[in-house]
Structures are given as C-alpha cells and as structure tokens.
C-alpha cells in the first residue's frame, strides 16, 4: 500500500505542470502547488489531532480523498476553482500519510518495530527509484535486529559488511 500511494503521489506531483497545461493553467502551477503545500500542513495537524482515536478511518479517508483529487486533476479539470479545491484535498490527504503508514506498521511489527521503521523510511525514499531486479536497497539490512545485534568490528568506523552481514547462530540458540 505504501509503495502504491507514494508512487501515485510522485507521478501526480511530477506531472502536475503538464496536467495543468492541458487545462490551460500553466501560469497557475506554482499557486496550485502552494495550495497543495498549505493544505498538507493542515493535513499533518489534523492527523496528529485525530490519529489516536480514528486511525483506520483516517487511512481509508486519506486513500479516498487522494484518489478523488488525483482523478479530478487528471480527468475532470474544468475550472481554476476545481483545480484549487482538488489540490487542497490532495494536500489534506497527503499531509499525514507518512505518519499514518508508519503507525500502521508498528502493530504488526510487534517487538521488531524498531527494525521495521527504517524499512518504511527506506521504501519512502528509495521506493520509486529504478534498480536491478532482485536487488535490495543499499540501506536495507540483511536481517532484522536492533543496534544491539550488530557485531563490534574493532576500532575505527564499522564497515557495512561487518555490521549487516548475517552471522552463524551461537551455540545453544
């Protein structure tokens, strides 16, 4: 879900200028993006205020609002007012998305939540970059575990191979 949402947002954000140019609003792109950004800040605040009591409803509402706003901007753009409202709805939906997705990851991760959190951040940052099939992102560890699970590699800065390479189980494990 995270990948699909981030990919859809990235595509819309990257192609908002051509989309608006098709609707003869190329001179208003910066103002529509300002509208999006302002609404995103409000979305962050609303998510923080409502997340504890209405988490699942907010996740669903975010997806519905984003999908609706994207469809309006891409397909049904009919006037500047419609575009500004759609950009504001997009911003409200996107503002708290990362917080909602990270908190949704916490419960199923259980005691591995500290190891799972960087994986979603890595996905959000690197999820849309092309890479060779079968390769994991450079920052993804080869096994789950917290900082205490890393081996000490002597003095000096630890190497990536030393700290993230899987090790054989100890006796009795």
């Amino acid at each position: 879900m995270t990948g699909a949402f981030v990919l859809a947002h990235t595509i819309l954000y990257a192609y908002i200028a051509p989309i608006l140019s098709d609707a003869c609003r190329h001179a208003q792109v910066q103002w529509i993006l300002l509208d999006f950004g302002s609404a995103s800040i409000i979305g962050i605040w609303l998510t923080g205020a409502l997340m504890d009591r209405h988490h699942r409803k907010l996740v669903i509402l975010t997806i519905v609002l984003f999908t609706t706003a994207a469809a309006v901007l891409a397909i049904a753009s009919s006037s500047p007012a419609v575009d500004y409202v759609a950009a504001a709805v997009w911003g409200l939906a996107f503002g708290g998305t990362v917080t909602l997705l990270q908190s949704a990851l916490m419960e199923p991760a259980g005691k591995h939540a500290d190891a799972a959190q960087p994986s979603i951040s890595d996905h959000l940052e690197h999820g849309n970059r092309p890479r060779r099939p079968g390769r994991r992102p450079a920052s993804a560890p080869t096994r789950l575990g917290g900082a205490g699970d890393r081996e000490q590699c002597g003095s000096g800065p630890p190497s990536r191979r030393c700290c993230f390479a899987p090790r054989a189980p100890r006796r009795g494990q």
Side-chain angles (χ1 to χ4, degrees):
M1 183 173 100
T2 302
F5 194 92
V6 171
L7 181 62
H9 163 74
T10 303
I11 290 170
L12 183 59
Y13 193 82
Y15 292 104
I16 192 69
I19 289 169
L20 293 173
S21 291
D22 286 347
C24 299
R25 288 187 240 317
H26 53 278
Q28 296 178 357
V29 172
Q30 71 273 14
W31 299 111
I32 289 176
L33 288 176
L34 178 66
D35 183 40
F36 162 77
S38 302
S40 292
I41 293 170
I42 296 168
I44 292 168
W45 179 79
L46 285 171
T47 299
L50 301 172
M51 187 173 75
D52 289 336
R53 291 171 287 168
H54 307 288
H55 186 270
R56 181 175 295 254
K57 290 176 187 174
L58 282 174
V59 170
I60 293 168
L61 182 64
T62 296
I63 293 168
V64 169
L65 288 176
F66 173 77
T67 305
T68 304
V72 167
L73 284 169
I75 299 168
S77 178
S78 60
S79 72
V82 170
D83 291 342
Y84 280 98
V85 170
V89 169
W90 172 29
L92 282 172
F94 185 75
T97 298
V98 175
T99 304
L100 291 169
L101 293 174
Q102 282 191 319
S103 61
L105 177 67
M106 295 297 289
E107 189 177 329
K111 68 179 187 172
H112 299 290
D114 288 339
Q117 286 298 338
S119 70
I120 198 167
S121 298
D122 185 66
H123 184 70
L124 289 168
E125 183 164 333
H126 302 290
N128 296 324
R129 294 185 187 166
R131 56 184 167 267
R132 291 186 304 210
R135 297 284 310 251
R136 61 181 166 71
S139 61
T142 56
R143 65 185 184 93
L144 289 178
D149 287 343
R150 297 179 180 163
E151 294 179 3
Q152 295 299 319
C153 301
S155 61
S159 69
R160 184 174 158 3
R161 178 162 171 73
C162 173
C163 291
F164 290 112
R167 60 181 175 203
R170 295 183 189 147
R171 287 185 129 169
Q173 285 186 345

